[in-house]
Amino acid sequence: MGKKVMVVDDSSAIRQVIGHVLSTEGYEVIEAQDGREALEKLNGREVDMFICDVNMPNMDGVTFLKKVKNEESYSSYRFAPFIML
């Protein structure tokens, strides 16, 4: 499989559309419905890029971005690119 992209959005339709397009182009897609679920799914997995909604319940995209970029426990993702929707 190709590079891994995590798609984080509370809209399942948005996740499905983005996931379909990326999968068709050879990317492996990991989906999460909010920032909290995304952090749980990271769990040391390799992720090359994040596509993330800004407004979500439980943990919004900005809070998720700050945790991934600033907390030591997620340091392996510190330089991964983020696309915010």
Side-chain angles (χ1 to χ4, degrees):
M1 261 263 158
K3 298 226 178 230
K4 295 179 183 144
V5 178
M6 179 173 274
V7 179
V8 187
D9 198 307
D10 56 324
S11 168
S12 61
I14 297 293
R15 289 194 315 268
Q16 287 176 351
V17 169
I18 294 172
H20 175 72
V21 170
L22 291 172
S23 296
T24 308
E25 294 299 319
Y27 293 93
E28 182 178 334
V29 178
I30 304 162
E31 294 184 18
Q33 63 185 355
D34 58 43
R36 187 176 295 159
E37 182 182 13
L39 290 177
E40 291 170 6
K41 286 190 170 186
L42 280 177
N43 198 23
R45 290 173 122 161
E46 180 183 330
V47 175
D48 298 296
M49 184 174 78
F50 296 88
I51 299 176
C52 186
D53 188 16
V54 173
N55 296 312
M56 297 179 289
N58 301 317
M59 183 186 293
D60 64 75
V62 174
T63 303
F64 173 64
L65 169 69
K66 287 178 181 177
K67 283 189 174 290
V68 169
K69 296 294 185 178
N70 297 319
E71 289 188 12
E72 192 60 36
S73 55
Y74 302 109
S75 63
S76 62
Y77 310 107
R78 186 164 287 146
F79 298 107
F82 265 77
I83 296 175
M84 300 299 282
L85 303 177

